[in-house]
């Protein structure tokens, strides 16, 4: 393929513009639907091509100027060049197409897209670290479009404070360490009142490196942890770094305490909005029994417990289950109980699965909940709220709930948990008489 002028006709699931030439699809990063562009060859494949955007000849009315100087080189964001409202509309189209194509279902009504602040939202994540011989220094950031490389970042507009301005200081810190070549990743996490960094290291750290890390921790008022092996090896650098992280939800009535490597929703503002919407859709009543599947730390379970007679949270990670139970005790919610179970295995003989439930909330990982839907929901369940991080698995499971279990897909919509990325977070309500 040589240089070509073409029209962009669609947006792909990963945020690239879609063009066609000689019957073949061409993906163009940085191009938007409705634009006339000039593109050059990048990579050829059997069924599609990838092209480089050389010039936008006729820009879309929805094109935005990316505020981040690293947009285009960093692979962390794919849609900063598209206005926020248009990003949400594109994500809703992806969800609708998946429902129709995979699940063969259509919602009776679409929920208004749920959004919060589009910048400085990311409170948890993982940064890549690499000593680059050619540059003679360490890079700390997200991966580039080519995942073999780490983007050379000075700041990040989507990271929550204080992480947004710590990338360059972190690179300088690692550069000063004797173990600079043995640190592949840095995890970051913050609660409402404190922030934490966790350094993965492949070799033991000497006293001098530990002292440098401690000085950085003190200078930036941020707790520092180390991880030399698997998750169980994570530990605070010093005793003073062991302070707990926590966040408040449900009008600050509930406090969730978590460990550095625990799963939490990365977007605090959207988590609060999502919880309010999920509770509104589920509408738990004081006499009802509710089952919360893939419950994690109790992010949904504990707010439900304030409204229902009984709630049971089921989760596969025993550590999360223990901390969820601790959170229930800490918040004086004696009607919440928790069970450890692999929800991708057959659990139909488990006592909690054989009980009668009025309503179910589930928030599975990307793979969805296909195995569960072989034996749940039981006959007593009249309402299911499904929170999803993957539109394809939600659409597949929606088809199962409608066609096999007799539910109606009453409502569905997208939630902008990851603004400026192509990630589609969504929620759906299922009901039956």
């Amino acid at each position: 393929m040589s240089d070509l002028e073409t029209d962009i006709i669609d947006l792909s699931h990963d945020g690239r513009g879609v063009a066609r030439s000689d019957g073949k699809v061409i993906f163009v990063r940085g191009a938007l639907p409705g634009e006339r562009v000039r593109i050059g060859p990048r990579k050829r494949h059997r069924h599609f091509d990838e092209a480089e955007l050389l010039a936008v000849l006729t820009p879309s009315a929805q094109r935005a100027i990316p505020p981040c100087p690293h947009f285009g080189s960093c692979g962390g964001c794919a849609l900063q060049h598209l206005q926020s409202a248009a990003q949400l509309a594109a994500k809703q189209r992806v969800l609708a197409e998946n429902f129709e194509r995979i699940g063969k279902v259509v919602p009776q009504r679409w929920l208004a897209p749920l959004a919060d602040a589009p910048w400085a939202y990311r409170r948890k994540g993982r940064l890549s670290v690499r000593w680059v011989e050619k540059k003679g220094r360490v890079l700390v950031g997200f991966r580039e479009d080519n995942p073999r490389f780490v983007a050379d970042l000075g700041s990040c507009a989507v990271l929550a404070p204080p992480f947004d301005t710590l990338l360059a200081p972190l690179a300088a810190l690692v550069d000063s360490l004797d173990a600079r070549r043995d640190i592949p990743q840095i995890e970051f996490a913050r609660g409402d009142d404190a922030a934490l960094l966790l350094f993965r290291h492949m070799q033991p750290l000497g006293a001098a490196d530990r002292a440098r890390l401690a000085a950085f921790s003190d200078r930036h008022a941020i707790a520092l942890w180390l991880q030399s092996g698997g998750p169980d090896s994570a530990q605070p650098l010093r005793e003073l770094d062991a302070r707990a992280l926590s966040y408040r939800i449900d009008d600050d009535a509930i406090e969730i305490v978590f460990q550095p490597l625990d799963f939490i929703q990365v977007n605090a503002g959207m988590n609060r909005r999502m919880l309010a919407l999920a509770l509104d859709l589920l509408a738990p009543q004081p006499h009802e029994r509710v089952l919360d599947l893939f419950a994690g730390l109790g992010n949904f379970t504990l707010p439900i417990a304030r409204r229902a007679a009984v709630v049971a949270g089921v989760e596969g990670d025993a550590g999360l289950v223990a901390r969820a139970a601790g959170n229930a005790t800490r918040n004086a919610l004696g009607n919440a109980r928790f069970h450890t179970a692999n929800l991708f295995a057959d659990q139909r003989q488990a006592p909690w699965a054989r009980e009668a439930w009025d309503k179910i909330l589930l928030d599975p990982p990307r793979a969805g909940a296909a195995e569960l839907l072989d034996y749940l929901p039981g006959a007593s369940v009249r309402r299911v709220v499904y929170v999803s991080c993957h539109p394809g698995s939600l659409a597949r499971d929606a088809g199962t709930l409608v066609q096999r279990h007799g539910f109606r897909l009453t409502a569905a919509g997208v939630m902008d948990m990851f603004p400026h990325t192509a990630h589609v977070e969504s929620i759906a309500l299922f009901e039956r008489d």
Side-chain angles (χ1 to χ4, degrees), residues 134-158:
K134 290 183 178 179
K135 292 180 180 285
R137 61 187 176 92
V138 167
L139 299 182
V140 175
F142 294 109
R143 297 283 177 171
E144 293 185 357
D145 181 30
N146 183 337
R148 293 184 301 139
F149 301 105
V150 177
D152 191 354
L153 305 183
S155 61
C156 179
V158 301

Side-chain angles (χ1 to χ4, degrees), residues 2 9 25-26 37 39 41 60 92 125 129 132-133 155-156 167 184 204 253 261 291 332 337-338 347 350 359 385 427:
S2 57
I9 59 175
V25 169
I26 305 172
V37 299
I39 59 177
S60 166
Q92 190 121 317
V129 181
V132 181
E133 201 73 43
S155 61
C156 179
L167 296 179
L261 295 178
L291 183 62
R337 66 178 195 257
F338 293 88
Q347 298 289 339
K359 294 173 181 176
V385 171
I427 191 168

Side-chain angles (χ1 to χ4, degrees), residues 139-387:
L139 299 182
V140 175
F142 294 109
R143 297 283 177 171
E144 293 185 357
D145 181 30
N146 183 337
R148 293 184 301 139
F149 301 105
V150 177
D152 191 354
L153 305 183
S155 61
C156 179
V158 301
L159 295 188
F163 310 121
D164 54 337
T165 59
L166 280 184
L167 296 179
L170 278 171
L173 168 66
V174 178
D175 219 5
S176 73
L177 301 179
D178 298 330
R180 65 176 66 88
R181 290 176 172 84
D182 298 315
I183 296 175
Q185 295 168 339
I186 299 173
E187 301 266 352
F188 61 91
R190 66 160 294 166
D192 288 347
D193 305 312
L196 178 146
L197 294 166
L198 182 148
F199 284 65
R200 287 200 169 97
H201 56 101
M202 298 184 294
Q203 298 294 333
L205 299 180
D209 280 355
R210 286 176 170 267
R212 294 180 185 108
L213 291 169
F216 182 92
S217 171
D218 293 339
R219 186 162 59 252
H220 294 280
I222 190 167
L224 205 148
W225 284 47
L226 301 175
Q227 182 184 350
S228 58
D232 292 342
S233 69
Q235 57 184 333
L237 175 66
R238 302 164 296 176
E239 186 176 345
L240 62 85
D241 294 305
R243 60 184 180 269
L245 295 175
S246 67
Y247 64 90
R248 289 173 289 276
I249 53 174
D250 209 14
D251 295 329
D252 292 343
I254 293 173
E255 183 180 37
I256 302 283
V257 174
F258 65 97
Q259 293 292 314
L261 295 178
D262 287 346
F263 172 82
I264 63 170
Q265 296 291 347
V266 304
N267 189 325
M270 272 303 302
N271 185 50
R272 286 189 288 269
R273 290 178 178 270
M274 176 182 68
L275 281 168
L277 176 59
L279 289 168
D280 182 59
L281 295 175
L282 191 66
Q285 301 300 308
H287 64 280
E288 290 180 329
R289 297 166 49 81
V290 181
L291 183 62
D292 179 17
L293 301 170
F294 305 96
L297 290 162
N299 189 59
F300 290 101
T301 323
L302 301 188
I304 292 170
R306 296 185 66 218
R307 296 157 172 83
V310 175
V311 58
V314 186
E315 164 62 42
D317 185 315
L320 289 178
V321 169
R323 287 187 283 283
N327 282 323
T329 300
R330 190 175 295 106
N331 289 280
L333 293 168
N335 61 332
R337 66 178 195 257
F338 293 88
H339 306 274
T340 303
N342 176 7
L343 295 176
F344 297 105
D346 190 336
Q347 298 289 339
R348 72 187 72 209
Q349 297 306 315
W352 58 265
R354 302 180 69 180
E355 293 181 47
W357 302 100
D358 298 298
K359 294 173 181 176
I360 292 178
L361 185 140
L362 63 160
D363 182 13
R366 289 176 60 86
E371 294 83 0
L372 275 172
L373 298 183
D374 280 342
Y375 54 93
L376 290 173
S380 61
V381 176
R382 291 290 174 266
R383 183 172 296 195
V384 173
V385 171
Y386 191 132
V387 177

Side-chain angles (χ1 to χ4, degrees), residues 12 45 47 54 58 70 88 154 174 182 198 200 236 263 265 276 298 308 317 322 378 403-404 419 425:
S12 71
H45 303 270
H47 298 294
L54 301 176
T58 306
H70 307 295
L88 280 167
V174 178
D182 298 315
L198 182 148
R200 287 200 169 97
F263 172 82
Q265 296 291 347
D317 185 315
Q403 294 149 23
R404 189 189 307 173
E425 192 95 5

